[in-house]
Amino acid sequence: MNSFKNHAGFSISNSKLQVVEINCTNNHFFLKNVDEAYFSEVIDFKKEKETKIGALLQGAFDELVLKNPLETKFASFTLPQDLFYTVQLPYDNTLLHDDLYEEFKWELSVLYPQAPINELIIRYIEIEKNNLVEYNSAIVVGINRRYLKIIKNFCYQNNLKLKYTDNLSIAAERALNVVTSTKVTGLTLSAFYSCNILSLIFSYERKPLIIKNIRVNNISEIPAKIVSEINTKDKKITPDHIDTAYIAGENLSHALINSIKDITGIEFIQYNPFDKLTPEPEIYNNPFFAERYNSFSAAAGIALRAI
C-alpha cells in the first residue's frame, strides 16, 4: 500500500461517465470525489467513429472537472460489458503461454464469428478444477484494441497517466473484495447489472470459479435469469449452497432486490464500495455517496485496483 498514488477511477457506460477519486495520506485512504455526468447523446461504441466517442467523453469529463478538478494525474477506466467477448473454456495446463493464447483466440473466433479476432486484446484467468467445474478452465476475455486506443488518446489529451482498463463487473468484484476483506467464506455469488447485461460471478473463498454474462431485455427479468442460471449447473448449485450473495449496478430498486429474494430464495446484499474509505468532509452531503453508492461499484473498484 505504501506505493499507492492518488488515483481516479472512471466508469464508462453508453450514456454517462462516472468518477471516483481516492487520495492517500500517511497510508490512509480518503474518498475525494464521487460524481457522474451524462453524455450529450447515447454512444453506440460499435458504430460511432473514434473521434465522436472521444468528443462525447471529453464533454462529460469537462463537466466533471469543472465542478471538482482532479487532484491526481493517474486514472483507470472500466468499459461497457457488451464491448467484451467473455467465455469460460477448458484448457490444457501443459501448453505454453503462446500456444494457449492461440488456442483461446481460435475458440473466440468460433464462438463469436462476428468478432474482429485479429484486433482483439485477449487476457485470461486460469482456474483449477473444483467442485463446480470438474476440469481445468480459464475465463477468457477479449476486447477490440480500438477501444483501448480511444482511452489512451483521451488520457493523452487530458494529461492523465493511464494505469488500468478493465471490465465493469470484474472491477466491481474488486471493490467487493476490498470491502469484505477476510469476512467472506464459502461459496459466494456476486451479480452486476449494467446496460442490459447481467454478470454473475461464483467464487469460493474469494477465488472466482464461474463467470457468466447474460443478456437481459428488461430489468424485471433479472430474478428469473438468476434462477435459470443456477438450475442449469447440473444442480451443483442451489440457493442453499450459496453462503453469501451481493449485487451492484444501475437501477437496482429496493422493490427489485425484494423480488430477487422472493423468486430466487437468495438474499442479495447491496454493498457499499466506499466502506473502507474515509470520506472528505464535503463528500457526506453528496447524494451519490449517501444514496447511490452501489451504482459506483465499478468506478470504485477500478480506483481501488491500485491499492
Side-chain angles (χ1 to χ4, degrees):
M1 288 189 181
N2 292 330
S3 63
F4 180 87
K5 299 181 184 299
N6 296 347
H7 192 208
F10 291 90
S11 180
I12 301 171
S13 71
N14 62 353
S15 61
K16 65 184 175 182
L17 179 66
Q18 294 183 320
V19 62
V20 169
E21 186 176 2
I22 298 173
N23 291 352
C24 182
T25 303
N26 296 326
N27 207 31
H28 195 85
F29 297 93
F30 294 88
L31 182 62
K32 170 69 175 58
N33 188 15
V34 183
D35 205 352
E36 67 181 22
Y38 281 85
F39 303 129
S40 58
E41 61 182 89
V42 173
I43 301 177
D44 187 332
F45 285 89
K46 296 182 180 180
K47 292 182 179 180
E48 299 291 359
K49 293 181 179 180
E50 294 175 18
T51 51
K52 182 172 182 180
I53 295 172
L56 291 169
L57 282 173
Q58 189 65 51
F61 177 79
D62 289 345
E63 181 180 334
L64 290 173
V65 297
L66 183 63
K67 289 188 290 182
N68 198 343
L70 295 179
E71 292 186 3
T72 179
K73 292 298 182 183
F74 294 94
S76 296
F77 293 77
T78 68
L79 292 169
Q81 295 275 70
D82 63 349
L83 301 187
F84 293 86
Y85 302 93
T86 305
V87 66
Q88 189 160 351
L89 298 168
Y91 80 101
D92 182 352
N93 59 6
T94 64
L95 290 177
L96 298 175
H97 170 77
D98 289 349
D99 295 330
L100 197 55
Y101 185 93
E102 290 301 318
E103 173 69 17
F104 290 150
K105 183 178 177 180
W106 179 81
E107 292 276 8
L108 285 174
S109 71
V110 173
L111 293 168
Y112 300 101
Q114 77 282 10
I117 200 67
N118 291 324
E119 295 299 318
L120 295 188
I121 300 293
I122 298 172
R123 296 289 183 267
Y124 59 89
I125 303 170
E126 298 177 18
I127 300 174
E128 295 182 356
K129 63 181 180 180
N130 50 73
N131 291 335
L132 300 183
V133 183
E134 296 176 346
Y135 49 82
N136 292 323
S137 65
I139 298 167
V140 183
V141 181
I143 187 171
N144 193 328
R145 66 180 74 245
R146 169 179 185 258
Y147 305 118
L148 304 184
K149 179 183 175 183
I150 291 171
I151 298 302
K152 184 177 180 180
N153 289 341
F154 173 83
C155 288
Y156 176 79
Q157 292 169 5
N158 291 283
N159 195 28
L160 295 173
K161 295 181 180 180
L162 179 61
K163 296 278 289 182
Y164 309 107
T165 307
D166 211 339
N167 177 291
L168 279 169
S169 61
I170 294 176
E173 186 77 358
R174 169 65 180 172
L176 173 61
N177 287 339
V178 171
V179 168
T180 56
S181 188
T182 58
K183 297 177 184 177
V184 176
T185 59
L187 183 63
T188 301
L189 168 59
S190 61
F192 184 87
Y193 176 77
S194 177
C195 298
N196 298 109
I197 294 180
L198 173 67
S199 175
L200 300 178
I201 301 178
F202 294 90
S203 304
Y204 186 75
E205 303 295 336
R206 301 176 67 202
K207 294 181 179 180
L209 303 181
I210 299 170
I211 292 182
K212 185 72 178 289
N213 291 329
I214 305 164
R215 176 69 62 176
V216 176
N217 295 318
N218 187 288
I219 198 168
S220 64
E221 298 176 1
I222 288 178
K225 294 290 186 181
I226 294 174
V227 168
S228 177
E229 184 59 27
I230 291 174
N231 289 341
T232 58
K233 295 298 178 188
D234 299 325
K235 297 185 178 179
K236 291 180 181 178
I237 301 175
T238 67
D240 291 340
H241 291 135
I242 297 171
D243 296 287
T244 319
Y246 299 91
I247 193 167
E250 293 288 338
N251 303 317
L252 301 177
S253 66
H254 291 301
L256 176 65
I257 301 302
N258 290 334
S259 176
I260 293 173
K261 178 182 178 181
D262 292 341
I263 294 174
T264 65
I266 303 170
E267 184 169 356
F268 280 82
I269 300 168
Q270 285 185 282
Y271 61 94
N272 186 340
F274 308 129
D275 194 48
K276 297 293 184 180
L277 303 171
T278 300
E280 296 284 2
E282 64 272 16
I283 294 292
Y284 284 101
N285 294 324
N286 184 327
F288 298 128
F289 169 78
E291 301 167 13
R292 289 188 46 212
Y293 49 83
N294 191 246
S295 68
F296 282 82
S297 294
I302 198 68
L304 289 164
R305 182 171 167 177
I307 296 178

